Amino acid sequence: MADQNLFEQLKEVLADFKSFLDANVPTIKPAIQAIASLVPRVNDLLDLLVELLNKLKTELESLDVGAIPGLAEVSAFTGKIPALLEAAKKLLPNETASIESIADVADVVTGLPSVDAVKAEILALIAAIVAHLNSLKG
């Protein structure tokens, strides 16, 4: 089985988080509100999560990969980079941070062809999670 790309992983993580919230908001809402009366920064945590999810939503909405010629070939190219980087890590242990940075970019580019297939699902998950997080505050 092929490894999931970044966007499939994101969808899976968001779906898991949404499922948790679907099942537990009624239970954790009173607890969050009680904690917020003692530690008001709990609401900051919720606001920061919402802000992060909204930034992620904006980035995903701006991705329009359908018009990029040669995207499949570029994705195949970047898909080969992890093996090269793994070998380089062993030979260049002091370059681990640089190697990981390259791997992160390659992972994003490798997953781009699948964005259109999961984009709507990811955006719907983000919207549902944001609604849950906002409901926890009041």
Side-chain angles (χ1 to χ4, degrees):
M1 180 175 164
D3 289 336
Q4 286 184 318
N5 72 50
L6 174 69
F7 299 101
E8 291 164 339
Q9 290 173 1
L10 176 61
K11 182 181 119 182
E12 186 176 299
V13 167
L14 290 170
D16 181 57
F17 194 50
K18 180 190 172 293
S19 293
F20 173 82
L21 291 172
D22 288 344
N24 293 293
V25 162
T27 304
I28 61 175
K29 183 175 181 172
I32 293 279
Q33 291 173 348
I35 292 169
S37 69
L38 301 170
V39 183
R41 294 208 59 207
V42 168
N43 286 325
D44 293 343
L45 168 70
L46 296 172
D47 290 339
L48 290 170
L49 281 172
V50 168
E51 182 181 330
L52 178 69
L53 288 167
N54 284 329
K55 286 179 181 178
L56 184 58
K57 176 184 168 205
T58 299
E59 285 299 314
L60 285 168
E61 287 174 335
S62 72
L63 287 177
D64 182 16
V65 298
I68 300 173
L71 181 61
E73 291 77 9
V74 171
S75 178
F77 162 72
T78 56
K80 296 184 179 302
I81 291 174
L84 173 65
L85 296 177
E86 213 36 57
K89 265 190 210 179
K90 294 172 185 161
L91 294 171
L92 303 168
N94 294 334
E95 297 296 322
T96 301
S98 295
I99 290 169
E100 288 175 5
S101 178
I102 294 167
D104 290 344
V105 173
D107 193 26
V108 171
V109 174
T110 300
L112 283 176
S114 72
V115 168
D116 288 339
V118 296
K119 186 175 178 179
E121 292 174 84
I122 291 173
L123 292 174
L125 288 166
I126 290 172
I129 291 168
V130 166
H132 277 313
L133 293 173
N134 285 327
S135 79
L136 291 174
K137 291 189 292 184

